[in-house]
Amino acid sequence: MNPDVDAYIVRSETWPEVISALRPILLGAGLAEEIKWGKPCYCHKGRNVVIVQEMKDFLALMFFKGALLSDSDGVLEAQGPNSRSARRIRFTSVEDVHRLADALASCLDEAIAVEEAGLEIGPAPELALVEELRDRLDQAPELAAAFGALTPGRQREYHLYVSGAKQPSTRAARADKCVVKILAGKGLRDR
């Protein structure tokens, strides 16, 4: 047991009992616990397997390579419509931990096997930019160069933001609104 995780649990105001109930299952699977990104993270031979995510309405265990798991018990869910690799299990009580303990143990065993086999999530498909953003980039070579220098995740974030508007005029306005940040080399939510 990692004393930093002990301290995290003591500070937790929302889900300390649920984290405490999950901890023996995670450690019993042979995972090492660390604090990463300010949260308890469980690793196998230095590789991240699962991380604790405290939300307002639930606690989640997020499997980094969850998309590679068979999920025969049907307990894993995608974090959102655009999540490719991560999958999570939601808990709202200690009773949930007890009820889902076998399914969680199965997911942990499979996640460790994925790490042992060295399996990786394949590369993201080529990003086909929404027309309004593509047009804006085509009009300004310096903007296209700055956009090309962004990380794939930041590029995808801009695409999702612009493409999320229903009206073409709103998509065009959103593309225009992004210009300053793109030229500054920043992501949509960067300050």
Side-chain angles (χ1 to χ4, degrees), residues 90-161:
R90 289 182 186 219
F91 301 91
T92 58
S93 66
V94 172
E95 291 75 28
D96 281 354
V97 174
H98 297 307
R99 182 175 52 80
L100 297 170
D102 291 340
L104 173 57
S106 177
C107 288
L108 290 169
D109 289 344
E110 195 173 356
I112 291 168
V114 162
E115 289 304 330
E116 287 286 335
L119 299 178
E120 297 292 335
I121 302 291
E126 182 84 17
L127 185 61
L129 293 177
V130 64
E131 180 182 349
E132 291 79 5
L133 182 56
R134 189 182 64 246
D135 288 349
R136 191 69 176 91
L137 296 173
D138 289 346
Q139 294 169 9
E142 71 282 356
L143 181 63
F147 187 81
L150 294 172
T151 64
R154 286 184 170 132
Q155 291 176 2
R156 192 170 39 258
E157 187 175 40
Y158 279 117
H159 165 73
L160 292 171
Y161 171 68

Side-chain angles (χ1 to χ4, degrees), residues 8-114:
Y8 179 92
I9 293 170
V10 168
R11 287 189 313 271
S12 173
E13 296 179 7
T14 313
W15 303 106
E17 297 87 9
V18 177
I19 298 169
S20 295
L22 286 168
R23 199 173 183 196
I25 299 169
L26 297 163
L27 293 172
L31 298 173
E33 62 182 2
E34 301 177 23
I35 295 290
K36 293 188 176 182
W37 303 283
K39 301 174 173 102
C41 184
Y42 293 82
C43 307
H44 177 71
K45 296 183 179 177
R47 305 278 305 198
N48 300 331
V49 173
V50 66
I51 192 165
V52 172
Q53 297 177 314
E54 290 191 273
M55 308 295 183
K56 181 175 141 187
D57 298 326
F58 61 91
L59 179 120
L61 280 182
M62 195 267 307
F63 288 81
F64 289 92
K65 295 181 182 177
L68 297 177
L69 306 182
S70 64
D71 188 24
S72 57
D73 295 303
V75 295
L76 295 174
E77 64 180 33
Q79 296 204 128
N82 299 303
S83 112
R84 289 185 343 100
S85 58
R87 299 291 183 270
R88 67 184 176 198
I89 302 176
R90 289 182 186 219
F91 301 91
T92 58
S93 66
V94 172
E95 291 75 28
D96 281 354
V97 174
H98 297 307
R99 182 175 52 80
L100 297 170
D102 291 340
L104 173 57
S106 177
C107 288
L108 290 169
D109 289 344
E110 195 173 356
I112 291 168
V114 162

Side-chain angles (χ1 to χ4, degrees), residues 171-184:
R171 289 192 298 269
R174 285 185 179 186
D176 290 341
K177 183 179 175 184
C178 296
V179 169
V180 172
K181 282 195 160 193
I182 292 171
L183 288 172

